[in-house]
Amino acid sequence: MKRLAIPNKTVRLNEWQTVTEPSLRLTDFDRMLANQLAGEGRGGCCLIVEELREGLRIEARSWVGVVRFTEFDICVEPKLAGDSLQLVQMIEYATGLDALKRFSRERSLLTLDTNLFDFIALLLAEACSALVKGGLKSDYVVHEDVLPSLRGRLLTDRQVMKRFGRVDQLECRYEEFETDIPENQLLVAALELCAQRVKDDLVRRQVRHLLMIFKQLCDPSTLNVYLLRESLSYTRLNECYRKAHTLAWLVLDGLGITDLLSPGTTDSFVFLIDMNLLFEQFLWRALNTICNKSNLRVRYQLKNRSVLWNRLKNKPYSSIIPDFLIDDPSASNEMKHCLPIDAKYKLYDEFKVGNEDIYQCFLYAFAYEQPQSRGLPSALLLYPGTKSIPSEQVVEIRSVNSDMLGQVYALGVSIPSLLREIINDDQGPVSNLIVGRINQSLNQA
């Protein structure tokens, strides 16, 4: 297995930060990778690496992780979610993972200048080690082969067409009880990627040790990860794999940028996590936890095609998809009011809320307002706060006669504070603000 060269320089910056490095240069392959990061392959801009007359300008967006170029690394570290450990705790909560509760050795690792990818690779190695200690799962696997004696079922059509009259070569289909199954193959694929890219020596040794064990038991060359993602389900027999698989998918998705060259021809790689999506998933579970105490229902990205309507053609013009809809399932249909909530992973504690996000929230507020409502149409906009104390902005929409027509509450939510309150089951200031605004909006309906 080829060991990637370790770059000499590491550039560290926070998300949304811009730095200039006058001593760095890009190779031809680096320019291709930089172009891809600037907008290709991930549906948006992940990272801007721009060549200057002297050096490079590096601008981070809302993606965090590691990008390895030919001669240097770029580590984009979380700012709004806290440090790397708090980010992994956020991932843990959003995905239902409990890796940090089971393993403690990685906590000291963060003091050794370890990047996010190495940290997640260590968690994956620890989860795989626990599976090995408990015994890897085996299952019956179907094989088809030419054998000198009958085993399993004889494939008569194939035998007649290819080996008619031969009794020493039989086309057979049989089952073998073995560990070469998709559950194990997925872990081998993720470990192999980690072994090629991990920078920390301690983590690399542990990952490669686990990879050697798994490769003796299964071969990932036949694995179709796209099909496996759709078909894999968990029962009492393979439930123990769920945590390791969650980390494996995190590695595979983080490395999901399209390879420009075949494996082994370059030392570069990309591991980036979309904080927009992670913030939505985190809020989805947090709102469920908070609202369950008030017997409220939270629905995630419910598409509605009846709001924007093409009158001339009498058909939907387009659809709207608010991130969350909160309502009281016990209320009657005539009195039921839905509160739309939108999540924006932006620095709205430092800048005013963007007009486009205000317009979007007002559309949701008017679309889900009940005609018999006593209050004004309202919506919530949640964004990550930079302070432990939650912040709030209230934007009203008024007519030209200064009549109030609707309002949007923009709440700055400290991710570490909210996560701490939920884990400790503590109704703190962040939870209280969210619950208060939700109840106020629903009670005014």
Side-chain angles (χ1 to χ4, degrees):
M1 180 185 301
K2 178 184 175 182
R3 175 176 174 176
L4 296 181
I6 303 303
N8 294 324
K9 183 175 179 60
T10 299
V11 179
R12 294 186 178 272
L13 70 163
N14 292 326
E15 50 189 345
W16 304 109
Q17 184 181 357
T18 301
V19 299
T20 301
E21 292 290 335
S23 62
L24 298 182
R25 299 291 183 272
L26 296 180
T27 64
D28 291 339
F29 173 80
D30 290 343
R31 294 186 185 95
M32 298 171 63
L33 182 58
N35 289 336
Q36 196 174 27
L37 290 168
E40 302 175 11
R42 287 179 178 264
C45 179
C46 309
L47 180 72
I48 296 177
V49 181
E50 184 180 25
E51 289 185 282
L52 305 175
R53 181 172 298 180
E54 294 292 336
L56 302 175
R57 185 181 72 89
I58 303 170
E59 180 182 343
R61 295 299 179 90
S62 61
W63 299 71
V64 301
V66 184
V67 180
R68 180 164 299 165
F69 289 88
T70 304
E71 298 178 354
F72 61 94
D73 280 0
I74 297 178
C75 292
V76 182
E77 299 175 337
K79 175 183 178 181
L80 302 176
D83 56 24
S84 295
L85 178 60
Q86 290 172 318
L87 174 60
V88 176
Q89 289 174 330
M90 179 183 177
I91 296 172
E92 169 195 20
Y93 177 75
T95 60
L97 194 68
D98 65 349
L100 293 182
K101 296 177 183 177
R102 292 181 57 189
F103 310 121
S104 59
R105 283 194 302 169
E106 72 279 355
R107 295 181 182 271
S108 60
L109 187 66
L110 289 176
T111 63
L112 302 178
D113 198 30
T114 302
N115 62 49
L116 179 63
F117 181 76
D118 288 12
F119 189 39
I120 293 176
L122 175 63
L123 293 177
L124 174 63
E126 296 282 8
C128 292
S129 179
L131 288 175
V132 172
K133 292 177 181 178
L136 296 180
K137 181 179 181 293
S138 300
D139 203 351
Y140 287 99
V141 179
V142 177
H143 295 276
E144 293 182 358
D145 200 358
V146 179
L147 302 176
S149 60
L150 181 62
R151 182 179 183 184
R153 176 186 173 186
L154 178 66
L155 302 177
T156 54
D157 55 342
R158 195 178 300 175
Q159 182 72 26
V160 171
M161 295 178 62
K162 294 184 177 181
R163 307 182 193 282
F164 183 75
R166 299 290 300 269
V167 294
D168 58 331
Q169 296 184 1
L170 303 178
E171 296 278 353
C172 300
R173 176 182 294 156
Y174 59 94
E175 292 184 341
E176 192 78 60
F177 193 70
E178 56 189 44
T179 55
D180 193 11
I181 58 176
E183 285 91 336
N184 295 325
Q185 292 171 351
L186 174 62
L187 298 179
V188 175
L191 287 171
E192 195 161 23
L193 290 172
C194 291
Q196 297 171 359
R197 293 162 171 83
V198 163
K199 186 175 182 179
D200 185 88
D201 290 335
L202 174 64
V203 180
R204 188 188 307 111
R205 286 196 298 269
Q206 188 168 354
V207 169
R208 288 185 174 181
H209 174 68
L210 268 298
L211 178 60
M212 181 182 63
I213 295 175
F214 272 83
K215 274 198 165 184
Q216 293 175 354
L217 301 174
C218 61
D219 178 15
S221 60
T222 59
L223 177 66
N224 186 330
V225 293
Y226 303 103
L227 179 61
L228 181 62
R229 189 190 290 271
E230 298 295 329
S231 61
L232 183 61
S233 60
Y234 294 96
T235 65
R236 62 179 181 83
L237 298 178
N238 65 347
E239 179 64 29
C240 58
Y241 277 77
R242 186 188 294 271
K243 299 179 182 66
H245 284 172
T246 301
L247 290 163
W249 288 122
L250 183 61
V251 170
L252 295 174
D253 291 340
L255 294 170
I257 198 166
T258 304
D259 290 334
L260 298 175
L261 298 174
S262 59
T265 58
T266 175
D267 290 346
S268 302
F269 84 97
V270 176
F271 177 80
L272 292 174
I273 295 176
D274 185 359
M275 293 301 295
N276 289 293
L277 179 59
L278 180 59
F279 184 57
E280 286 182 8
Q281 295 172 341
F282 168 74
L283 285 180
W284 163 231
R285 190 172 180 194
L287 287 173
N288 270 292
T289 302
I290 293 173
C291 292
N292 280 341
K293 298 178 181 179
S294 302
N295 297 320
L296 298 177
R297 177 177 58 178
V298 184
R299 288 176 287 179
Y300 178 58
Q301 293 193 343
L302 185 66
K303 180 184 292 188
N304 191 317
R305 293 178 56 83
S306 64
V307 174
L308 301 179
W309 195 262
N310 189 326
R311 181 179 177 183
L312 297 179
K313 297 183 179 181
N314 194 30
K315 67 176 185 179
Y317 180 80
S318 183
S319 60
I320 64 172
I321 310 176
D323 289 330
F324 311 103
L325 284 176
I326 298 181
D327 63 3
D328 184 357
S330 63
S332 62
N333 292 332
E334 293 77 12
M335 300 299 297
K336 182 172 294 187
H337 171 67
C338 292
L339 175 65
I341 300 179
D342 207 35
K344 299 296 181 184
Y345 194 81
K346 298 181 179 180
L347 296 174
Y348 282 153
D349 260 358
E350 301 178 7
F351 310 97
K352 72 175 186 177
V353 179
N355 289 344
E356 67 280 2
D357 294 331
I358 293 294
Y359 303 154
Q360 184 180 21
C361 287
F362 275 129
L363 172 61
Y364 294 157
F366 283 102
Y368 289 96
E369 182 67 12
Q370 291 287 357
Q372 68 275 14
S373 173
R374 301 187 305 271
L376 294 174
S378 59
L380 265 62
L381 188 152
L382 301 180
Y383 62 90
T386 57
K387 303 176 182 178
S388 58
I389 301 176
S391 58
E392 181 178 20
Q393 305 176 53
V394 183
V395 181
E396 298 176 348
I397 182 171
R398 299 187 176 190
S399 68
V400 292
N401 298 322
S402 298
D403 296 326
M404 286 183 56
L405 303 178
Q407 54 193 357
V408 170
Y409 296 96
L411 308 182
V413 177
S414 169
I415 295 174
S417 298
L418 178 58
L419 184 59
R420 185 167 53 252
E421 291 175 9
I422 293 175
I423 292 177
N424 297 331
D425 196 20
D426 177 26
Q427 197 76 9
V430 182
S431 303
N432 285 332
L433 179 61
I434 296 175
V435 171
R437 286 299 172 223
I438 291 175
N439 288 332
Q440 176 185 348
S441 300
L442 292 179
N443 292 334
Q444 289 178 353

